Amino acid sequence: MKILSFETSCDETAVAVTEDGRRILSDAIASQAPVHALYGGVVPEIASRAHTEAIASLTAQALRDAACTRSDIDAVAVTYAPGLIGALLVGVSFAKSMALALGVPLIPVHHLRGHIAANYLAFPELEPPFLALTVSGGNTLIVDVESYTRMKILGGTRDDAAGECFDKAARVLGLPYPGGKPIDELARESSGGVYKLPVAHVDGAPLDMSFSGLKTAVVNLAHHAEQTGEALDRGALARDFIAAVSATLVPRVMEAAKLTGRRILCAAGGVAANSFIRRDLQDACEREGIRLYLPPLKLCGDNGAMIGAQAYYEYQAGHIADMSLNAYATREITRDWSPETP
Ligand code: KG4
């Protein structure tokens, strides 16, 4: 089954063709990051406009790269939640018209389910059940993936997402947006151990997390150094910051494995590209005898292929939309799309 899939939830316009949820035939991406970098973060209006400008030519490119014509496409899939509402609406509207024109089913896909499904593209043997650590720009969740379409949230952030925290820390360190990759590179210049940063615990919720205190601590350190003229060891701060994020994520996901008895863990989302967090996960999983799947870097960030991968399984579960499909800025990963309760 060949699926043409669209992803426009934030600042990446992405269109892909995938086969049977496991094979990438094409994966075209137009990143808007350089435009938003001028403002230090994503400007929603600009994102919607840029999606509108890019989506038609990117669709032609995705079909061309996959050596497909429109008549080869069996279904159309689209990210319908969560994300920037205006940005999501561009993808949803375009996908609806495409499905209508081609006379094929329209499959709505939850963005975070897509991130998890990126693992199906990289690892053909992987099947649920497993645990997923989903860490992106807007969300941070530990998910029990019971089946391809049945998920349970075990823990998550109570405030900022890990990616948001990376972007803010990078900004005060004078690094460009999005800050995850530059801060990862800067941290390699130091072995850290200079700055003591907080790792928060949520009372009574051992798998929940909080990143706002860490974010504030990094901002305060940078501002204090600026005001007093004190030298800031930027490399060490980057390294210590990542260590604090990792110390928040890794023990919790290991605890989740212990509580559920799951022996397989997948990482997902942009922050899963972080080299230090990847290494810490590897070390912890090795120690605990857990099988770890780390998607290749290009499948960690937003892409269209991951939406096509999840769509294959949503289709099999009967989650097919009609032309009344809408976009939603927020939506639980646990909630299925259905025509009765859209
Ligand atoms: O998954 P993603 O591409 O978009 C969302 O669905 O949100 O994640 C984007 C986030 C950004 O906050 C970016 O700074 C972060 O992923 N990121 C990283 C790295 N590469 C991207 N964070 C830490 N280390 C990285 N190497």
Side-chain angles (χ1 to χ4, degrees):
M1 180 182 197
K2 288 194 178 74
I3 298 180
L4 175 67
S5 51
F6 297 93
E7 155 62 44
T8 64
S9 66
C10 191
D11 60 348
E12 242 86 52
T13 317
V15 186
V17 180
T18 48
E19 192 164 36
D20 298 338
R22 296 283 176 166
R23 224 157 66 80
I24 302 175
L25 302 185
S26 67
D27 198 7
I29 301 185
S31 175
Q32 307 169 5
V35 183
H36 298 293
L38 299 172
Y39 305 93
V42 178
V43 182
E45 264 310 310
I46 294 177
S48 312
R49 196 174 288 257
H51 287 310
T52 310
E53 285 165 3
I55 199 162
S57 59
L58 219 55
T59 304
Q61 186 192 327
L63 288 169
R64 213 170 36 241
D65 292 352
C68 280
T69 63
R70 289 178 195 187
S71 57
D72 295 322
I73 298 301
D74 300 302
V76 167
V78 62
T79 305
Y80 77 111
L84 301 172
I85 192 68
L88 286 166
L89 277 168
V90 176
V92 167
S93 309
F94 197 88
K96 280 194 317 197
S97 35
M98 203 73 191
L100 190 66
L102 299 182
V104 297
L106 174 66
I107 310 166
V109 175
H110 189 286
H111 180 71
L112 295 182
R113 289 190 182 192
H115 270 305
I116 294 170
N119 283 279
Y120 304 142
L121 297 165
F123 309 111
E125 74 283 9
L126 175 66
E127 283 178 12
F130 56 81
L131 285 185
L133 174 64
T134 311
V135 270
S136 68
N139 297 273
T140 304
L141 287 179
I142 301 171
V143 182
D144 189 16
V145 183
E146 296 173 338
S147 77
Y148 287 107
T149 56
R150 208 174 54 243
M151 331 241 153
K152 198 193 278 168
I153 297 173
L154 301 174
T157 181
R158 294 288 183 102
D159 40 55
D160 298 331
E164 189 186 331
C165 200
F166 263 98
D167 294 336
K168 190 54 70 65
R171 194 205 287 209
V172 297
L173 285 167
L175 299 167
Y177 172 86
K181 191 160 178 260
I183 216 172
D184 195 343
E185 284 161 1
L186 177 63
R188 286 176 214 160
E189 293 173 9
S190 167
S191 45
V194 173
Y195 298 99
K196 196 162 165 32
L197 296 170
V199 174
H201 298 270
V202 180
D203 259 357
L207 300 185
D208 278 353
M209 304 160 230
S210 163
F211 292 102
S212 64
L214 173 61
K215 183 177 83 179
T216 308
V218 174
V219 170
N220 286 348
L221 269 166
H223 286 170
H224 182 262
E226 202 179 291
Q227 282 157 9
T228 58
E230 219 174 80
L232 191 69
D233 186 341
R234 291 168 68 252
L237 185 51
R239 183 71 183 259
D240 290 338
F241 163 74
I242 296 174
V245 175
S246 192
T248 307
L249 296 172
V250 178
R252 281 171 180 75
V253 79
M254 289 302 128
E255 181 64 17
K258 205 174 284 170
L259 292 172
T260 56
R262 297 272 188 245
R263 309 309 294 158
I264 300 173
L265 170 66
C266 293
V271 180
N274 186 271
S275 59
F276 297 94
I277 296 173
R278 286 170 88 90
R279 202 198 48 212
D280 290 349
L281 281 172
Q282 266 161 346
D283 290 347
C285 285
E286 226 161 79
R287 261 195 322 270
E288 301 295 329
I290 290 169
R291 176 101 202 247
L292 174 67
Y293 289 95
L294 290 171
L297 300 195
K298 72 176 176 29
L299 285 175
C300 289
D302 289 350
N303 63 85
M306 68 185 199
I307 301 305
Q310 181 62 20
Y312 178 71
Y313 297 103
E314 298 289 348
Y315 176 78
Q316 295 191 341
H319 302 154
I320 297 164
D322 60 20
M323 289 300 129
S324 68
L325 177 66
N326 206 347
Y328 300 87
T330 58
R331 182 100 169 178
E332 293 278 294
I333 192 174
T334 46
R335 188 165 157 193
D336 286 334
W337 192 90
S338 84
E340 293 78 33
T341 53

